[in-house]
Amino acid sequence: MNWTQLPLGPLQTNCYILSGEDGECIVFDPGAEGEQLVQWLNENRLQPLAVLLTHAHFDHIGAVEQVRQAFNVPVYLHKEEAEWLTDPSLNGSARFQFGEISGQPADHLLDEEESLTIGKFSFRLFHTPGHSPGSISYFFEEGNAVFAGDTLFMGSIGRTDLPGGNHEQLLQSIHNHLLTLPEEAIVLPGHGPATMIGDEMERNPFLNGF
């Protein structure tokens, strides 16, 4: 299994492609530049099985419809943000100058902690609210990597000043879920470079005391 990081759009939101040797793949957070993303997938002979969203802020969902329609794949999202894909006032696109984003509802709504298997890809799901009410972190145990969205970054944590954000809840989500993962687990954040759980436990100034 391989993962590829593709920063997309004006906010350089990380879209991740998790792929197997047979070309089947999972698309995480297709945030923008839908035509280019679809072209990249086709050029690399990859066949998406699903779109998994860590949350539904506008910079993480801008290319959802292009990918869904191009490959006829389902979209997964936490139930707390069930209305966000269809409502620019909820996903935040109505408040910024990048154009309003709306599309079809998610095909599957996820609920709390559970496991998820799509084709050959299996994940442990953690509900990690704080940055947004329905933030999910997807732990891919086979690759020892967690797709963490905007929950945890290298040397930082997600912002909590947007509607539905909660700083204390975010810290608890990180402490109760992400910091229980192996220290060598790779953190694949929504923005910026990858990091490791152990490095953030040691050096992240926002996690002092954890």
Side-chain angles (χ1 to χ4, degrees), residues 130-131 148-161 166-172 174-175 178-179 189 191 200 204-208 210:
H131 173 69
D150 289 356
T151 299
L152 180 63
F153 303 112
M154 178 182 285
S156 188
I157 59 175
R159 62 186 294 181
T160 55
D161 59 335
N166 184 301
H167 182 75
E168 291 304 318
Q169 188 179 44
L170 177 62
L171 290 176
Q172 288 302 316
I174 294 170
H175 175 65
L178 299 187
L179 298 190
H191 303 269
E200 297 314 303
N204 192 314
F206 294 91
L207 303 184
N208 288 341
F210 284 124

Side-chain angles (χ1 to χ4, degrees), residues 78-114:
H78 194 275
K79 67 175 186 178
E80 290 289 337
E81 297 176 14
E83 308 300 323
W84 288 32
L85 290 180
T86 63
D87 191 337
S89 66
L90 291 174
N91 65 48
S93 60
R95 293 190 296 274
F96 294 88
Q97 302 302 313
F98 303 116
E100 293 192 359
I101 295 172
S102 63
Q104 297 301 309
D107 301 282
H108 299 283
L109 295 177
L110 302 169
D111 183 12
E112 303 304 326
E113 285 76 56
E114 55 185 83

